[in-house]
């Protein structure tokens, strides 16, 4: 006999709410790719022109082809990164060809740190590094806005302390 009330769904069966990475990370990585491959193309073309023959300088186009391919691949990789905060754990998903999903239980977190190198700071980005008791489950979320990285650090630290208190 149906009473007309549905049983509440548990958090485990709900689809997680995924959050992607900001576009600044993609811009930074594409700038690095273009910068390095541009230098290689110009230097390679000049060196081939001087030391081989002018015809060999055409091989400097290879880094440009790599730039086009890398540009597309960086976009696909950037879109594959995402994370979701659930009731008992943090999910981190990444990868285009080989999909990798990491589940980090809040109670297993020992340290949450926010880092930002010089290039990341120039683009206004930070990374969150999660350390657990098992080194194999350490996780990293790159390219977050500093405010989001600090919020995530504080929330994960708070949840980690609350969950580990019962151990």
């Amino acid at each position: 006999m149906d009473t007309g009330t549905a049983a509440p769904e548990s958090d485990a069966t709900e689809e997680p709410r995924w959050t992607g990475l900001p576009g600044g990370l993609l811009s930074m990585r594409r700038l690095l790719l273009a910068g390095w491959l541009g230098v290689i193309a110009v230097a390679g073309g000049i060196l081939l022109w001087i030391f081989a023959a002018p015809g060999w300088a055409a091989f400097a186009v290879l880094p440009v082809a790599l730039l086009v391919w890398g540009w597309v691949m960086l976009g696909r990789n950037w879109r594959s990164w995402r994370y979701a905060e659930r009731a008992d754990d943090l999910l981190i998903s990444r990868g285009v060809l080989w999909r990798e999903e990491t589940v980090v239980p809040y109670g297993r977190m020992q340290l949450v740190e926010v880092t930002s190198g010089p290039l990341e700071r120039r683009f206004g980005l930070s990374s969150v590094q999660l350390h657990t008791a098992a080194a194999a489950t350490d996780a990293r979320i790159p390219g977050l806005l500093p405010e989001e990285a600090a919020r995530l650090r504080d929330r994960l630290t708070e949840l980690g302390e609350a969950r580990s208190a019962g151990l």
Side-chain angles (χ1 to χ4, degrees), residues 60-83:
V61 175
L62 290 176
V64 175
L66 279 174
L67 173 66
V68 172
W69 178 78
W71 195 272
V72 173
M73 291 297 109
L74 283 174
R76 290 183 66 196
N77 180 268
W78 171 76
R79 282 188 300 278
S80 76
W81 275 89
R82 57 191 187 155
Y83 65 97

Side-chain angles (χ1 to χ4, degrees), residues 95-106:
V96 178
L97 292 177
W98 286 273
R99 197 103 181 111
E100 185 174 329
E101 191 166 292
T102 305
V103 180
V104 183
Y106 297 134

Side-chain angles (χ1 to χ4, degrees), residues 8-24:
E9 292 185 35
S10 68
D11 286 344
T13 60
E14 282 186 28
E15 185 67 26
R17 224 179 82 224
W18 293 101
T19 304
L21 300 181

Side-chain angles (χ1 to χ4, degrees), residues 117-134:
L119 198 56
E120 285 179 312
R121 282 193 306 274
R122 172 70 177 95
F123 280 85
L125 302 172
S126 296
S127 296
V128 173
Q129 177 76 38
L130 309 165
H131 299 279
T132 63

Side-chain angles (χ1 to χ4, degrees), residues 12-33:
T13 60
E14 282 186 28
E15 185 67 26
R17 224 179 82 224
W18 293 101
T19 304
L21 300 181
L25 179 66
L26 179 61
S27 299
M28 180 184 77
R29 288 180 174 175
R30 283 182 169 168
L31 180 67
L32 283 171
L33 177 73

Side-chain angles (χ1 to χ4, degrees), residues 140-163:
R140 182 173 186 262
I141 304 173
L144 296 174
L145 297 175
E147 302 81 29
E148 173 64 7
R151 183 203 67 81
L152 192 59
R153 178 201 58 217
D154 294 343
R155 176 165 161 71
L156 295 176
T157 302
E158 179 184 315
L159 288 168
E161 288 173 354
R163 298 294 193 281

